[in-house]
Amino acid sequence: MNTPQGGIFALGTASHAYLEFSVMDKSSGAELVRTISALREPRTTMGGVNLVVGFRPELWREVSGGELPPRLGGFDEDLVGADGYVMPATQHDAVLWLSGSAYDVIFDVARAAVTSLRELASLDEETSSWPYRHDRDLTGFIDGSENPDLIDAPELVLVPEGVPGAGGTILLLQKWVHDAASWEGLTDTEQEQVIGRTKLDSIELDPRLADSHVAATDQDRFGKIFRRNTPFGTVGEHGTMFVGFSAEQEPLVTMLESMAGVGDSVRDALTRYTRPLSGAYYFVPSTEALRAISTE
């Protein structure tokens, strides 16, 4: 049986860092995958660091010989929705997501990882994140209310046994910046209409508006996603790192199309107050797949 990377389900961590890399020479892609796959989850006397690694689907397919779900592809083209709304494609070749008990430990491990890869790839995106009021995002609402619990999540979001890439998962990573002034100019009631839930205790509104965020991202329609979102930024500019895992790419794609108002969809009202700066899909292999690649 294939085992998922442990950090995917390691809840309760206080500090996060997301590092996205692009190979400097296309001929170095296989070496980059092997080098990253050989990284281990370090342990220090200050607490552990969870390390989750993922790769551009086309790169992992090439290096692994096709050990990932068929038709899985990168976020290579901007997604354009209603009113010219754009979700930008910023696909890179690899991602490292580090999470742990304190930022000093994350900082040291991140620096070591960047140093080990500097001859092979450029660090193109770096974001540090942290929890806000336990489980809320910077809109003030509870995030991940529809998440499956840890008992059910692996079965729902991991590639099943018998399928190429078993034990792995598909990651959608996006960086969303908030228009804090506009959002905070709304009353709590207006904010609740935008989200489709109550602000205090995250009870779904009934009825809810058709363009509410809850309606646009309804997992009963699109399929289950396990979200590990975190806030990022400064007082002056901040937002949400969307970190969503799924066993298939389709639920992630159709969710984004719904939010953007593609086709017959109504554009998500929340996109009036937040916009994506980046977007990439990564395949996150099982620990056995990483071990096999690292020892080749």
Side-chain angles (χ1 to χ4, degrees):
M1 183 173 178
N2 292 283
T3 309
Q5 296 183 45
I8 296 169
F9 304 109
L11 304 182
T13 45
S15 295
H16 302 257
Y18 308 90
L19 310 175
E20 294 181 85
F21 298 86
S22 295
V23 292
M24 291 186 287
D25 186 325
K26 289 185 178 180
S27 64
S28 301
E31 187 177 355
L32 174 67
V33 171
R34 285 192 291 269
T35 301
I36 290 178
S37 297
L39 296 175
R40 291 293 180 260
E41 296 182 6
R43 294 291 183 266
T44 76
T45 57
M46 298 297 290
V49 173
N50 299 298
L51 174 61
V52 174
V53 303
F55 303 97
R56 178 169 55 84
E58 294 83 357
L59 177 59
W60 179 256
R61 179 176 290 112
E62 175 185 345
V63 175
S64 71
E67 283 302 309
L68 78 172
R71 298 183 300 279
L72 174 58
F75 203 140
D76 298 320
E77 296 182 359
D78 292 349
L79 176 61
V80 180
D83 309 318
Y85 185 78
V86 176
M87 293 186 180
T90 59
Q91 185 69 52
H92 300 287
D93 291 309
V95 62
L96 304 184
W97 166 34
L98 301 99
S99 62
S101 59
Y103 187 68
D104 55 349
V105 183
I106 297 295
F107 180 84
D108 286 342
V109 174
R111 286 196 65 204
V114 171
T115 298
S116 70
L117 300 174
R118 64 185 176 189
E119 300 299 325
L120 300 171
S122 58
L123 175 61
D124 291 346
E125 294 285 346
E126 175 186 357
T127 305
S128 299
S129 295
W130 28 266
Y132 178 70
R133 297 187 181 181
H134 180 58
D135 56 3
R136 295 180 184 268
D137 64 26
L138 295 180
T139 66
F141 283 75
I142 295 173
D143 200 355
S145 296
E146 288 195 33
N147 255 0
D149 61 35
L150 288 179
I151 295 175
D152 297 327
E155 182 178 348
L156 292 170
V157 303
L158 297 179
V159 178
E161 295 298 322
V163 177
T169 186
I170 299 159
L171 165 64
L172 169 60
L173 185 67
Q174 288 182 300
K175 187 174 185 176
W176 291 76
V177 64
H178 296 179
D179 182 350
S182 295
W183 179 253
E184 291 166 3
L186 302 178
T187 65
D188 282 358
T189 299
E190 290 171 331
Q191 290 181 358
E192 289 175 342
Q193 293 296 323
V194 170
I195 298 295
R197 291 184 180 274
T198 59
K199 191 170 186 178
L200 179 62
D201 44 17
S202 200
I203 297 173
E204 191 170 316
L205 300 183
D206 185 16
R208 67 192 184 199
L209 297 181
D211 67 347
S212 68
H213 182 59
V214 168
T217 60
D218 187 353
Q219 293 191 30
D220 290 334
R221 292 169 56 202
F222 303 121
K224 291 297 182 181
I225 296 167
F226 187 67
R227 304 195 312 185
R228 292 294 311 276
N229 298 357
T230 53
F232 77 91
T234 65
V235 173
E237 183 175 87
H238 49 260
T240 299
M241 288 297 292
F242 179 88
V243 184
F245 295 95
S246 177
E248 299 178 335
Q249 190 170 27
E250 184 178 3
L252 299 166
V253 172
T254 54
M255 178 191 70
L256 293 187
E257 291 176 343
S258 174
M259 291 179 66
V262 173
D264 296 331
S265 300
V266 179
R267 182 176 157 190
D268 187 340
L270 186 58
T271 64
R272 312 288 176 181
Y273 305 95
T274 182
R275 61 184 175 88
L277 303 178
S278 66
Y281 289 108
Y282 296 100
F283 184 65
V284 179
S286 68
T287 56
E288 289 80 7
L290 292 176
R291 188 174 299 118
I293 289 292
S294 68
T295 56
E296 287 186 351

